[in-house]
Amino acid sequence: MTQDMTQPVRVLVWNEHRHERKNPKVDELYPDGIHGAVASALREGGCDVRTATLDDDEHGLTEEALAWAQVVVWWGHLAHEEVKDEIVDRVVKRVYDGMGFVPLHSAHMAKPFRRLMGTGCMLKWREANDKERLWIVAPHHPIVTGLHEFVEIEREEMYGEFFDVPAPEELVFVSWFSGGEVFRSGCTWTRGKGKIFYFRPGHETYPTYHLPDVRRVLVNAAKWAAPSGVERFVQGNAKPLESI
Amino acid sequence: MTQDMTQPVRVLVWNEHRHERKNPKVDELYPDGIHGAVASALREGGCDVRTATLDDDEHGLTEEALAWAQVVVWWGHLAHEEVKDEIVDRVVKRVYDGMGFVPLHSAHMAKPFRRLMGTGCMLKWREANDKERLWIVAPHHPIVTGLHEFVEIEREEMYGEFFDVPAPEELVFVSWFSGGEVFRSGCTWTRGKGKIFYFRPGHETYPTYHLPDVRRVLVNAAKWAAPSGVERFVQGNAKPLESI
Amino acid sequence: MTQDMTQPVRVLVWNEHRHERKNPKVDELYPDGIHGAVASALREGGCDVRTATLDDDEHGLTEEALAWAQVVVWWGHLAHEEVKDEIVDRVVKRVYDGMGFVPLHSAHMAKPFRRLMGTGCMLKWREANDKERLWIVAPHHPIVTGLHEFVEIEREEMYGEFFDVPAPEELVFVSWFSGGEVFRSGCTWTRGKGKIFYFRPGHETYPTYHLPDVRRVLVNAAKWAAPSGVERFVQGNAKPLESI
Amino acid sequence: MTQDMTQPVRVLVWNEHRHERKNPKVDELYPDGIHGAVASALREGGCDVRTATLDDDEHGLTEEALAWAQVVVWWGHLAHEEVKDEIVDRVVKRVYDGMGFVPLHSAHMAKPFRRLMGTGCMLKWREANDKERLWIVAPHHPIVTGLHEFVEIEREEMYGEFFDVPAPEELVFVSWFSGGEVFRSGCTWTRGKGKIFYFRPGHETYPTYHLPDVRRVLVNAAKWAAPSGVERFVQGNAKPLESI
């Protein structure tokens, strides 16, 4: 499933799509759902995009949908526990096989992310209109291409350390919050052949996914997370390659 | 549970203890069980050691036993699936809280290790009396204190790449095998407050845990994995530290 | 200098070009020089390629040549000390600014590499027709796209651990040698905005750079190392962004 | 030179000792010099401590002094360029051989640190009485033993990203500054057998090295940086260990 660089990256944007239907404020900010806003950013960036939500059949994460997807972007919050374990298994297995995975914001507690991390994934949080400034600490990284030294978000939910994840393989962003906290807000890991990028911003009551810099990060992340590497790795019992 | 450096490290050596009772060859090599051999190495190295096995009550991994242990060394192979999930939960939770964890050899497929890694943890293998030479690639590391540039093992089971684990935070040993393979045979990770060291050697049909260099690594690893760091980390809803 | 993905990567292949003119065996293997063989691989892979050698004016590493280059591939061995320090400064500065750098084989002792690493960069070596097998340990990595689990080279110079470099940010290949050694033979680091990939194979008396898998790695590496990231990073005295 | 854990760590505290003699405010804060304050923290923590300054013969960094030292702590600012290159060579060589190195604050531009990093090492800065809060992001680390989730400093010079160093091998602290910046303020690297810990706080016009939490970090860092690992690593031409 290695990426053909001449073709657009195929991205499946998944959203639990609950806040939008319960809270008029969220619906007003995201009339097409959070997935709609994220999808529009990715389409503008040249990706081939589909969307799926929790209440779709098999949460929209059918074998077919996942066979199509080169990258899954994931937003969830209220209903992590409603995601069926067999679907989680399916997503995780696809990541091992090379599918990119981009959990956003409250997806730090999403089942597939927690499974892939092997840690508790909790953090500190506060809904109090903090200002957030995401500083770039990996200036070489493809995910920050086109940005300037930081991304500023006027009002956001605060997430603070300690963020209970394994040490990121690459730390891309560190957030400053006006209330006095910091957070490792852009982190990469690899699992099997799959590349993972966690990106912090995007509380449902703020227009974060309409911000140009945030949208640029989403596009860069999808392209970076697209499959690469060996076709497959070999496991199990093996004959010697040399005489022992 | 931070280590008092003036006291011996308290290590619980866990072994499934099945091969020894089924295979006379293993019993002959390890008359006190694999756990007995590992425990004797650790005692010689100045640790305070207890042992536990699969068939003990609660697999010997009671709340009390784990509260005592600063480090758990784990050997398992045939019976990974017999380890009860609630006991796995207990071990993993203790690792998050700072307990060191040292899975040996076939424990690459042990439930707690797989949970902590978030990957499949498989590899290539062959039982064919390969020679193994573990080269040190982190010469500064406390785990290799007292060793010379490699550890040689005349005959061992082969484990080959790709070893399906997250990129190690520190790569300490890389093995050469006579049949033509290599393996990342000494790897560290951290999860929460806990330190993990996976060490490859120790197939049950070889006298590996009687070798002085291997025993030295076991001692060094236990001391390295002993708890350190902050007393606890804080999570959940948090008041601002500054006026927003 | 961020890469326009729709354009070929511009690669400058640098070679000291001494062995070819002194040793008929090397000249026979590389009638167009080692740089010629490397350049042909990169051209076949779709790169825009120029070459330069030690005896060119300013070693062929003029300000203009380096302003053009998005990636420099470097082969040197006999004449590391003849590379002028002001040219080394120029290359290193360009790496900080985002130019990719791909030192090959004996370039582990090249001045720009040593400067960028901050270590001694020595290793063990032997010219004895060892077999080398480069195992992939980062199956997700763009540099191994299109390969299968290892690259085999029938005869090569041996390089063995300890390779005195900083722990690689990504370890891509580990070599097995028939004489009993291992080596971290494909390693990445970043410095400033620049990406570095050290690739071990390529002793001058073997036809290594004519091997299809090796040529594929060269192409993948050039594309991976091409500039990405923020336009520039800001340093020095800074006014506060918030009222203190 | 591997550490005997039953003996105190031998630490040489080096200070350029210029601000104290030029600026009465600094002299008042540090009547025994910055080195005196750092040394007193280390002595209280059980280390065996000597001090040296720029104006001592050979900057106090004689072969004998460095042979004694297991760890060097380094404070410099005004006079980096006065440190003689042959002394820098000597310090760097000792780090390769296993001596710990703990550069403090403005020593980010000290010659030995820059040499060991291979990067420019610049950053953003501001002297404006910012508040600094150093958040712990590696809760397991020996360097944070005994601390609570952050270290707060009422007034300090600001250092901001991008800090032009290689990605730290372990990121221990991230600082929040009241003016809106963040900084990777506690970072580890290894070079050869040596362990390095950069620790940000300690501008000369603030009483930072009198703060209990800062003093605790200094002690923890010295103990962590003490020599460990193999006696030596072998380099150069090598005979095969197996028949090729």
Side-chain angles (χ1 to χ4, degrees):
Chain A
M1 62 182 293
T2 300
Q3 182 188 9
D4 177 348
M5 298 290 286
T6 65
Q7 297 296 316
V9 180
R10 301 188 302 268
V11 187
L12 181 62
V13 178
W14 189 90
N15 180 17
E16 68 175 32
H17 200 216
R18 289 284 167 86
H19 285 288
E20 298 91 330
R21 294 184 289 162
K22 293 172 63 160
N23 183 340
K25 182 179 176 185
V26 181
D27 182 52
E28 190 178 347
L29 285 168
Y30 295 110
D32 302 317
I34 288 172
H35 54 292
V38 170
S40 77
L42 294 168
R43 284 195 187 103
E44 285 169 26
C47 300
D48 186 0
V49 184
R50 296 181 187 174
T51 62
T53 63
L54 180 63
D55 293 332
D56 294 346
D57 191 36
E58 302 184 40
H59 311 322
L61 298 165
T62 59
E63 291 282 5
E64 188 185 27
L66 288 175
W68 175 87
Q70 294 181 303
V71 178
V72 165
V73 177
W74 189 286
W75 199 102
H77 182 215
L78 293 174
H80 294 317
E81 293 312 308
E82 293 182 41
V83 180
K84 286 175 206 146
D85 286 337
E86 67 261 33
I87 305 295
V88 174
D89 292 344
R90 197 183 280 172
V91 171
V92 166
K93 187 177 176 311
R94 283 284 295 162
V95 174
Y96 294 162
D97 289 345
M99 187 181 77
F101 186 59
V102 182
L104 299 176
H105 190 62
S106 43
H108 70 90
M109 290 301 280
K111 282 182 176 181
F113 183 64
R114 293 174 65 187
R115 186 89 68 81
L116 289 161
M117 292 295 102
T119 56
C121 296
M122 261 305 282
L123 42 76
K124 279 207 210 110
W125 58 274
R126 174 177 64 242
E127 295 184 48
N129 294 330
D130 274 83
K131 181 185 289 190
E132 176 176 17
R133 188 175 292 114
L134 297 97
W135 288 91
I136 293 168
V137 296
H140 72 281
H141 206 284
I143 287 178
V144 300
T145 295
L147 296 178
H148 292 272
E149 55 176 347
F150 56 77
V151 173
E152 194 167 298
I153 303 178
E154 199 52 37
R155 280 191 298 278
E156 252 290 354
E157 184 180 6
M158 184 283 294
Y159 279 6
E161 296 285 346
F162 175 65
F163 182 21
D164 181 19
V165 287
E169 297 177 26
E170 299 168 309
L171 180 61
V172 180
F173 291 107
V174 173
S175 284
W176 176 98
F177 287 97
S178 49
E181 292 86 2
V182 299
F183 193 74
R184 290 169 294 169
S185 50
C187 300
T188 79
W189 298 268
T190 56
R191 293 290 182 266
K193 282 189 54 185
K195 298 196 275 301
I196 301 166
F197 178 62
Y198 173 79
F199 189 49
R200 198 214 74 84
H203 190 63
E204 67 273 5
T205 60
Y206 301 107
T208 300
Y209 295 123
H210 299 304
L211 300 176
D213 279 353
V214 169
R215 294 167 76 84
R216 185 182 287 264
V217 171
L218 295 174
V219 172
N220 288 347
K223 292 180 179 176
W224 170 85
S228 55
V230 296
E231 285 306 303
R232 61 192 187 92
F233 40 88
V234 184
Q235 300 183 314
N237 192 249
K239 293 213 169 102
L241 299 160
E242 308 291 330
S243 59
I244 299 171
Chain B
M1 63 183 290
T2 299
Q3 182 189 8
D4 177 347
M5 297 290 285
T6 65
Q7 297 296 317
V9 180
R10 299 189 304 269
V11 188
L12 180 63
V13 179
W14 190 91
N15 180 18
E16 68 176 32
H17 200 217
R18 290 281 168 89
H19 286 289
E20 297 92 330
R21 293 185 290 162
K22 293 172 65 163
N23 184 339
K25 182 179 176 185
V26 180
D27 182 51
E28 190 179 346
L29 285 167
Y30 295 110
D32 301 318
I34 287 172
H35 53 292
V38 170
S40 77
L42 294 168
R43 285 194 187 104
E44 284 170 25
C47 301
D48 186 359
V49 185
R50 296 181 188 175
T51 62
T53 64
L54 181 62
D55 293 332
D56 293 347
D57 191 37
E58 301 184 43
H59 310 323
L61 299 164
T62 59
E63 291 283 5
E64 188 186 26
L66 289 174
W68 175 85
Q70 294 181 304
V71 177
V72 164
V73 178
W74 189 286
W75 200 100
H77 182 215
L78 294 174
H80 294 317
E81 292 313 307
E82 293 182 42
V83 179
K84 286 176 207 145
D85 286 337
E86 67 261 32
I87 304 295
V88 174
D89 291 345
R90 197 183 280 171
V91 170
V92 166
K93 187 176 176 311
R94 282 284 295 161
V95 173
Y96 294 161
D97 288 345
M99 187 182 76
F101 185 58
V102 182
L104 298 177
H105 189 62
S106 42
H108 71 90
M109 290 301 279
K111 283 182 175 179
F113 183 63
R114 294 173 65 185
R115 186 89 69 79
L116 290 162
M117 292 295 101
T119 56
C121 296
M122 260 305 282
L123 42 78
K124 280 207 211 109
W125 57 275
R126 175 176 63 241
E127 296 184 47
N129 294 330
D130 273 84
K131 181 186 288 189
E132 176 175 18
R133 187 176 292 113
L134 297 98
W135 288 90
I136 292 167
V137 297
H140 72 280
H141 206 285
I143 288 178
V144 300
T145 295
L147 296 177
H148 294 271
E149 56 176 346
F150 56 76
V151 173
E152 194 168 298
I153 303 179
E154 199 54 36
R155 282 192 296 278
E156 251 289 355
E157 185 180 6
M158 184 281 296
Y159 278 7
E161 295 286 343
F162 176 64
F163 182 22
D164 181 20
V165 286
E169 296 176 27
E170 299 167 309
L171 180 61
V172 180
F173 292 107
V174 173
S175 284
W176 177 97
F177 287 98
S178 49
E181 292 86 1
V182 299
F183 194 74
R184 290 170 293 169
S185 50
C187 300
T188 79
W189 297 270
T190 56
R191 294 289 182 268
K193 282 189 55 185
K195 299 196 275 298
I196 301 165
F197 178 63
Y198 172 78
F199 188 49
R200 197 214 77 83
H203 189 62
E204 67 274 5
T205 60
Y206 301 107
T208 300
Y209 295 124
H210 299 305
L211 300 176
D213 280 354
V214 169
R215 294 167 75 85
R216 187 183 287 263
V217 171
L218 295 174
V219 172
N220 288 346
K223 292 180 179 176
W224 170 84
S228 55
V230 296
E231 285 305 302
R232 62 193 187 91
F233 40 88
V234 183
Q235 300 184 313
N237 192 248
K239 294 215 169 96
L241 299 159
E242 308 291 330
S243 59
I244 301 173
Chain C
M1 60 182 295
T2 299
Q3 182 189 9
D4 176 348
M5 298 290 285
T6 66
Q7 297 296 317
V9 180
R10 300 188 302 270
V11 188
L12 181 63
V13 178
W14 190 90
N15 180 18
E16 68 176 32
H17 199 216
R18 290 282 168 88
H19 286 289
E20 298 91 329
R21 294 185 289 162
K22 293 172 64 162
N23 184 340
K25 183 179 176 185
V26 180
D27 182 52
E28 191 179 345
L29 284 168
Y30 295 110
D32 301 318
I34 287 172
H35 53 293
V38 170
S40 78
L42 294 168
R43 285 195 186 102
E44 283 170 25
C47 301
D48 187 359
V49 183
R50 296 181 189 175
T51 62
T53 64
L54 180 63
D55 292 333
D56 293 347
D57 192 36
E58 300 185 41
H59 311 322
L61 298 165
T62 59
E63 291 283 4
E64 189 186 25
L66 288 176
W68 174 86
Q70 294 181 305
V71 177
V72 164
V73 178
W74 190 285
W75 199 101
H77 181 213
L78 293 175
H80 293 317
E81 293 312 307
E82 293 182 41
V83 179
K84 286 174 206 146
D85 286 338
E86 67 260 34
I87 305 296
V88 174
D89 292 345
R90 196 184 281 171
V91 171
V92 165
K93 187 178 177 309
R94 283 285 294 161
V95 173
Y96 295 161
D97 288 345
M99 187 181 76
F101 186 58
V102 182
L104 299 177
H105 189 63
S106 42
H108 70 90
M109 290 300 279
K111 282 182 176 179
F113 183 63
R114 292 173 67 186
R115 186 89 68 79
L116 290 161
M117 292 295 102
T119 55
C121 296
M122 261 305 284
L123 41 76
K124 278 207 211 111
W125 57 275
R126 175 176 61 241
E127 295 184 50
N129 294 330
D130 274 83
K131 181 185 286 189
E132 177 176 16
R133 187 175 291 114
L134 297 98
W135 288 91
I136 293 168
V137 298
H140 73 280
H141 206 284
I143 287 178
V144 299
T145 295
L147 295 178
H148 294 272
E149 55 176 345
F150 56 76
V151 173
E152 193 167 299
I153 303 179
E154 197 55 36
R155 281 192 296 280
E156 252 290 355
E157 185 181 5
M158 183 282 296
Y159 278 6
E161 296 286 345
F162 174 66
F163 183 20
D164 181 20
V165 287
E169 297 177 26
E170 299 168 309
L171 180 61
V172 181
F173 292 106
V174 173
S175 284
W176 176 99
F177 287 97
S178 48
E181 293 86 1
V182 299
F183 194 74
R184 289 169 295 170
S185 51
C187 300
T188 80
W189 298 269
T190 57
R191 292 290 181 269
K193 282 188 56 185
K195 298 195 276 299
I196 301 165
F197 178 62
Y198 173 78
F199 188 49
R200 198 213 75 83
H203 189 63
E204 67 273 5
T205 60
Y206 301 107
T208 299
Y209 295 124
H210 299 305
L211 299 176
D213 280 354
V214 168
R215 293 167 76 84
R216 187 183 286 264
V217 171
L218 295 173
V219 172
N220 288 347
K223 292 181 178 175
W224 170 84
S228 56
V230 295
E231 285 307 302
R232 62 192 187 92
F233 41 87
V234 183
Q235 300 183 315
N237 192 247
K239 295 215 168 98
L241 300 160
E242 308 290 330
S243 59
I244 301 172
Chain D
M1 62 180 294
T2 300
Q3 182 189 9
D4 177 348
M5 299 290 285
T6 64
Q7 297 295 317
V9 180
R10 299 189 302 269
V11 188
L12 181 64
V13 179
W14 190 90
N15 180 18
E16 67 176 32
H17 200 216
R18 291 282 169 88
H19 286 289
E20 297 93 328
R21 294 184 290 164
K22 293 172 65 163
N23 185 340
K25 182 179 176 186
V26 180
D27 182 52
E28 190 179 346
L29 284 168
Y30 296 109
D32 302 317
I34 287 173
H35 53 292
V38 170
S40 77
L42 294 168
R43 285 195 186 103
E44 284 170 25
C47 301
D48 186 359
V49 184
R50 297 181 186 173
T51 62
T53 65
L54 180 63
D55 293 332
D56 292 346
D57 191 37
E58 302 184 40
H59 311 322
L61 299 165
T62 60
E63 291 282 5
E64 189 185 25
L66 288 175
W68 174 85
Q70 293 181 304
V71 177
V72 164
V73 178
W74 190 284
W75 199 101
H77 182 215
L78 293 175
H80 293 316
E81 293 312 308
E82 292 182 41
V83 179
K84 287 175 205 145
D85 286 336
E86 67 260 34
I87 305 295
V88 174
D89 291 345
R90 196 183 282 170
V91 170
V92 165
K93 186 177 176 311
R94 282 284 296 161
V95 173
Y96 294 162
D97 288 344
M99 187 182 75
F101 186 59
V102 182
L104 299 177
H105 190 62
S106 43
H108 70 90
M109 289 302 278
K111 283 183 176 180
F113 183 63
R114 293 174 67 186
R115 185 91 67 79
L116 290 161
M117 291 295 100
T119 57
C121 297
M122 262 304 284
L123 42 77
K124 278 207 210 111
W125 57 274
R126 176 176 60 242
E127 296 184 49
N129 294 330
D130 274 83
K131 181 186 286 189
E132 176 176 16
R133 187 176 291 114
L134 297 97
W135 288 91
I136 293 168
V137 298
H140 73 280
H141 206 284
I143 288 177
V144 299
T145 296
L147 296 178
H148 293 272
E149 56 175 345
F150 57 76
V151 173
E152 194 167 299
I153 303 178
E154 199 54 35
R155 281 191 298 278
E156 252 290 356
E157 185 181 7
M158 183 282 295
Y159 279 7
E161 295 286 345
F162 175 65
F163 182 21
D164 181 19
V165 286
E169 298 176 25
E170 300 168 307
L171 180 61
V172 180
F173 291 107
V174 172
S175 283
W176 176 99
F177 287 97
S178 49
E181 293 86 0
V182 299
F183 194 74
R184 290 170 293 170
S185 50
C187 300
T188 79
W189 298 270
T190 57
R191 293 289 182 269
K193 282 189 54 184
K195 299 196 277 297
I196 301 165
F197 178 63
Y198 173 79
F199 188 50
R200 198 213 75 83
H203 190 63
E204 67 274 5
T205 60
Y206 301 107
T208 299
Y209 296 123
H210 299 305
L211 299 176
D213 280 353
V214 169
R215 294 167 74 85
R216 186 182 287 264
V217 171
L218 296 173
V219 173
N220 288 346
K223 292 180 179 176
W224 169 84
S228 55
V230 296
E231 285 306 302
R232 62 193 186 91
F233 41 88
V234 182
Q235 300 184 313
N237 191 248
K239 295 214 168 97
L241 300 160
E242 308 290 329
S243 58
I244 299 172

